[in-house]
Amino acid sequence: MSESVTSNSAHAEVVGGSDVGGDGSMLLSLRGITKSFGAVQALRHVDLDVPAGQVTALIGDNGAGKSTLIKAIAGIWEPTSGEKFWMGKKMQTHTPKDAANLGIATVYQDLALCDNLDIVANMYLGYEATKHEVLDEIAMEKTAQQTLKDLSVSTVQSVRQIVGSLSGGQRQAIAVARAVMRDAKLVILDEPTAALGVTQTAQVLDLMTTLASRGIGVLVISHNLNDVFEVADRLAVMYLGTLVSSGPKSNYTMSSAVELITTGTTSRAA
């Protein structure tokens, strides 16, 4: 009989025993993931491995299935078929909270930040620390400061700044720091450099490198191949709902990646 070995939720499980599978050396493994919406098959038998301590770039054209795949990982949508493995053991998640309880944090393009609140309030939103039944503002402020320091976020002048006054790169950093503060082991980033300037983009790329150096797995969706080849350790290419290629960045050139994105095949990538 399978044994539940970790869970902070009534529904999220990592199951051991006979359900061990995937690549046990990987943080996250997907095997045969399919997702259909009526007659539309958005994902077709996707096999994907995401290691800890590395940046994996998920690339593909619009409609390739990237967003559907990360939502299947994040617990928003249940796969129609296939299995998910967390550190080599079968993973069962039914809601985003289930995924978060296992250590999977997803930062979407809208960042889910409240512009009218300061940085501390945003980082603790829904998880406020209390002492004697009142908010422990001092403890929250110290932890927020330390988290940003650990991630080498140096452009924020004060954790009491209103988030609405921050730049795009700073806002992205706050959203990522919030995930890290909640002990995320895998951070999924959806187009984190979209609409950012050169300086802000560099800050976000540095942040991804810092996350990986701390042993955190990073799965990033990006259309910017220059950013991908600068920061990624591994590439995974989607085409019309199928994962057509994945492996170390050294297996790819810019031109082979473009060919895979546009045609689903190439003779130049391993």
Side-chain angles (χ1 to χ4, degrees), residues 78-234:
E78 287 271 12
T80 304
S81 63
E83 295 179 315
K84 299 179 286 187
F85 297 90
W86 185 246
M87 293 183 283
K89 298 180 176 66
K90 189 174 180 180
M91 176 176 76
Q92 297 176 350
T93 54
H94 307 285
T95 68
K97 184 176 181 181
D98 293 343
N101 286 336
L102 293 178
I104 300 172
T106 305
V107 180
Y108 295 101
Q109 283 181 268
D110 63 7
L111 302 181
L113 296 174
C114 296
D115 287 349
N116 60 318
L117 300 179
D118 64 24
I119 292 171
V120 175
N122 269 279
M123 290 179 66
Y124 274 93
L125 195 61
Y127 296 83
E128 290 82 359
T130 59
K131 185 176 182 180
H132 305 307
E133 299 185 354
V134 297
L135 292 177
D136 193 344
E137 296 284 359
I138 294 176
M140 289 191 292
E141 183 170 320
K142 287 182 177 179
T143 302
Q145 287 174 332
Q146 188 61 48
T147 302
L148 292 174
K149 181 180 178 181
D150 290 344
L151 293 176
S152 302
V153 178
S154 58
T155 60
V156 173
Q157 296 178 351
S158 168
V159 292
R160 290 302 179 182
Q161 280 182 263
I162 299 300
V163 163
S165 69
L166 301 178
S167 70
Q170 289 171 327
R171 290 164 60 87
Q172 188 73 235
I174 299 308
V176 171
R178 177 176 58 189
V180 172
M181 194 175 68
R182 296 173 189 174
D183 296 323
K185 297 178 179 65
L186 171 63
V187 176
I188 302 173
L189 302 172
D190 185 8
E191 295 286 0
T193 60
L196 296 185
V198 174
T199 301
Q200 296 172 0
T201 294
Q203 292 170 358
V204 173
L205 297 181
D206 287 344
L207 182 59
M208 283 189 264
T209 301
T210 300
L211 289 174
S213 71
R214 290 166 56 91
I216 296 171
V218 180
L219 179 61
V220 56
I221 289 179
S222 180
H223 282 97
N224 190 320
L225 290 183
N226 290 319
D227 292 350
V228 165
F229 275 86
E230 179 175 344
V231 75
D233 301 292
R234 298 174 60 85

